[in-house]
Amino acid sequence: PAPRVPRTTRGDRAADRRAREIRETLADAFRMPDMEDPAPGVEGRAGSADAPTHGPAGEPPDTRASDDPASAPETPRLPTGDRGAAPDAAAHSHGPASAADHQAPEPTPGHPRVPAAAPRDRGASPARPATATPPANPATPRSMAAPARDGDHRRTFPPFPPRPSGDGDSFAETWWGRAWVTALEDGALDPARLARGRGYAEQGHVDAITVTPGLVLAYVQGSRPRPYRVQVRLRTFDEADWDRFLDAAADRPGHIAALLDKEMPQSLADCGVPLLPGPGDLAPRCSCPDSGHPCKHAAALCYQTARLLDADPFVLLLLRGRGEREVIDALSRLSAARAARAAQGREPEQLPGMRATDAVSRRGPELPPLPAPLPPPSHPEQPPVYPASPGGPDPFALDQLATDAAARAHVLLTTGRDPVGPLSLWHDAVRLAAARPGSGLTAGTRALYASLARAAGRTPGDLARAVAAWRQGGPTGLSVLEEPWDPPAGRFDRARPLLLAADLPAFRPWRNRLTHPRGHVQLRLGRDHLWYAYESEPDQDDWWPRGTPDPDPVGALTGLDTLGDA
């Protein structure tokens, strides 16, 4: 319950009202301004009179100003003799203090408070609230990765997983990665910050890394919830530096091969152009308030960049100003131009023999003898790779035709005969379609079958069935598919008793074919005295070659899935 207020006069009430107005004025004078962007992790609320005054980076306030009376701001201080009464109010007061005066706490400099209880006077104004609603904290960025924007001059790498820390071990594995770490450590001013930055890198505090010409950018998670935006800059090459570097790389073909294998030859890095950074060449920058060079967040990003260089040395070339595709294209053009100039400078080699006009104009024994033929090679060589061009022929089809021509020429040189020569157009089309690897229901196979069938005047279905017969028995298997014939007595007549002895039903004979009573399995005798198995839907007369030819009819049926339905 409220204390009992003694009876006062009109002068006392006026003095009390004036004292309250002075207290409210002083409370507004001590109110701190609201912070626009409070640092995360700071206790208290921005704009609250009870909150400690921190800087924009969340650092503790400098207390040295309070030690110097001259440097302290002039702030009015309430007297401590009376509880909450102003000097003027004390001078004009003729009665005892009011209840409001006894309930008001004593304000302290830097932490003013509004009176806790309002007076019961009807003319008194309500007290102003001492705290304001703090502004909402900005959203914490999740990642800097944007793979959709990547190109030859922008590459985004996912964050590295944490790795076990090793005392004294080198953070990088390759010599160029260790050179990057050496440039970082030799240019650092505080080894303690380097150690903490290496710990951040080993613990996986570095988010996705974006590399552009002359810049490495990433978010690094520190000790506060909001990560810091860190960037490391490196000077890019000008055109003269790039010309010297490309000339040095094109001088030795091994340099280009090493770059394509994700290796950096040391002779290429020492070609007169400072490809690797030296002490002081790395320019870090971080959004944290630490002014160290570098801070622990920038050091963590530099350590993780060394791991990027281990995996792909083209990251170093991108930092110097050019992407991987641009460097490879420039090296290809430079190598081709040098080869063309070298070929123009050489004189053509003199071939043995004599000109045709000189040989025709002479007669008799004056003609030189013909040179001996060269020995045939042991095997045909592989054809060159044909490039693909819009609207041009299929490179794979050209390769297949060239390989087939080389094999035929090799057989003709070694044996003196061409096995493909006596084939008809249809048989040759079937042979080419059967020789294509991976033939199946693919777009390339359909196109090949359609073109070959159209050239031979057949349908693609006929060609597919003929290809199956060719793969079963070659030209003989194709003749078994297309040419029924009347075999002589003997082998064909002995096939039915053999089938009956194998607990199979009596097959129906017709010329060189034996058909199952259900009409789904058939045996065909070829002119090579081998039995070829065929399958079809029951009574559909749609026969397809299956299995492997065998001199025994029962053996030819072995392995057929539909034989168990007999």
Side-chain angles (χ1 to χ4, degrees):
R4 199 167 178 181
V5 181
R7 195 170 192 179
T8 58
T9 62
R10 181 179 303 175
D12 295 336
R13 288 195 296 271
D16 294 341
R17 188 181 303 109
R18 186 173 181 183
R20 285 193 298 271
E21 292 176 357
I22 291 177
R23 283 196 297 271
E24 292 176 2
T25 303
L26 293 179
D28 292 337
F30 279 97
R31 186 181 302 278
M32 298 299 293
D34 294 341
M35 298 171 62
E36 296 182 358
D37 189 9
V42 178
E43 298 180 357
R45 297 181 179 178
S48 174
D50 297 331
T53 56
H54 288 254
E59 296 180 348
D62 192 359
T63 57
R64 291 175 297 177
S66 60
D67 300 335
D68 188 5
S71 60
E74 296 181 0
T75 56
R77 184 183 297 270
L78 293 179
T80 59
D82 296 335
R83 294 185 178 180
D88 294 340
H92 293 82
S93 178
H94 298 283
S98 62
D101 297 335
H102 289 281
Q103 295 175 1
E106 178 181 335
T108 56
H111 295 278
R113 294 183 182 272
V114 178
R120 302 194 178 191
D121 193 357
R122 296 181 179 178
S125 59
R128 181 176 299 180
T131 59
T133 303
N137 291 334
T140 301
R142 293 184 178 179
S143 176
M144 197 173 292
R149 298 172 54 191
D150 284 359
D152 197 31
H153 285 178
R154 176 191 171 94
R155 297 180 64 183
T156 302
F157 300 90
F160 285 98
R163 53 170 286 177
S165 60
D167 297 335
D169 296 341
S170 178
F171 196 86
E173 298 179 358
T174 60
W175 72 267
W176 57 89
R178 290 191 294 269
W180 177 278
V181 174
T182 302
L184 166 68
E185 295 175 349
D186 290 348
L189 302 180
D190 187 2
R193 287 187 173 91
L194 284 181
R196 296 188 63 184
R198 176 167 178 165
Y200 278 1
E202 291 173 344
Q203 297 168 11
H205 287 197
V206 182
D207 197 62
I209 302 177
T210 300
V211 182
T212 57
L215 180 65
V216 183
L217 194 64
Y219 279 113
V220 178
Q221 184 66 51
S223 59
R224 297 174 181 173
R226 182 182 179 88
Y228 296 102
R229 189 175 187 272
V230 186
Q231 63 182 17
V232 179
R233 294 189 176 274
L234 182 64
R235 184 186 68 86
T236 58
F237 286 166
D238 54 14
E239 293 298 330
D241 292 338
W242 274 112
D243 291 342
R244 289 196 298 270
F245 175 79
L246 295 175
D247 288 339
D251 284 340
R252 298 174 59 181
H255 288 165
I256 304 177
L259 287 176
L260 294 178
D261 290 339
K262 305 302 182 181
E263 296 286 339
M264 177 65 69
Q266 193 162 4
S267 59
L268 183 59
D270 300 337
C271 61
V273 181
L275 184 61
L276 291 167
D281 290 345
L282 301 178
R285 184 179 180 183
C286 182
S287 61
C288 72
D290 190 359
S291 60
H293 183 82
C295 67
K296 53 183 176 294
H297 313 104
L301 178 57
C302 290
Y303 278 115
Q304 292 293 58
T305 306
R307 299 179 66 182
L308 286 183
L309 297 181
D310 284 344
D312 190 357
F314 281 101
V315 174
L316 183 59
L317 299 180
L318 178 57
L319 283 174
R320 290 301 188 180
R322 292 192 181 182
E324 178 179 356
R325 178 55 52 191
E326 189 177 2
V327 172
I328 292 177
D329 291 345
L331 290 176
S332 300
R333 290 192 298 268
L334 187 59
S335 300
R338 289 189 174 187
R341 288 195 297 267
Q344 291 178 358
R346 292 194 304 264
E347 296 183 357
E349 299 180 359
Q350 297 293 332
L351 299 178
M354 58 186 307
R355 297 180 60 85
T357 54
D358 298 339
V360 171
S361 62
R362 299 180 181 181
R363 297 180 180 179
E366 297 179 357
L367 293 176
L370 295 177
L374 297 176
S378 59
H379 57 83
E381 298 292 338
Q382 291 292 331
V385 179
Y386 298 96
S389 59
D394 184 13
F396 189 82
L398 287 177
D399 182 83
Q400 183 180 2
L401 291 176
T403 304
D404 181 71
R408 291 176 57 186
H410 185 265
V411 172
L412 185 60
L413 284 174
T414 54
T415 63
R417 61 183 182 85
D418 183 10
V420 185
L423 295 181
S424 63
L425 176 62
W426 167 244
H427 286 191
D428 193 39
V430 174
R431 181 187 65 85
L432 290 176
R436 184 183 180 100
S439 296
L441 297 178
T442 61
T445 304
R446 290 193 185 97
L448 176 66
Y449 280 21
S451 60
L452 291 176
R454 184 170 55 254
R458 301 290 186 93
T459 63
D462 296 340
L463 180 60
R465 194 191 312 270
V467 166
W470 187 280
R471 290 178 175 174
Q472 187 186 38
T476 306
L478 183 59
S479 64
V480 170
L481 171 69
E482 299 179 338
E483 302 173 2
W485 59 290
D486 295 324
R491 183 181 296 273
F492 185 81
D493 296 336
R494 291 192 298 268
R496 298 182 68 192
L498 293 175
L499 295 174
L500 292 174
D503 294 335
L504 294 174
F507 280 59
R508 299 192 303 266
W510 181 79
R511 305 191 72 178
N512 65 323
R513 302 175 182 178
L514 294 175
T515 307
H516 195 278
R518 290 188 54 192
H520 67 292
V521 176
Q522 188 178 88
L523 286 172
R524 298 185 182 184
L525 182 62
R527 297 183 185 272
D528 55 353
H529 305 293
L530 296 178
W531 290 96
Y532 294 79
Y534 280 73
E535 290 181 349
S536 173
E537 293 294 330
D539 298 329
Q540 293 296 326
D541 198 22
D542 184 23
W543 300 104
W544 282 80
R546 294 289 188 268
T548 305
D550 195 274
D552 183 15
V554 180
L557 293 177
T558 303
L560 296 184
D561 297 335
T562 58
L563 189 60
D565 301 335

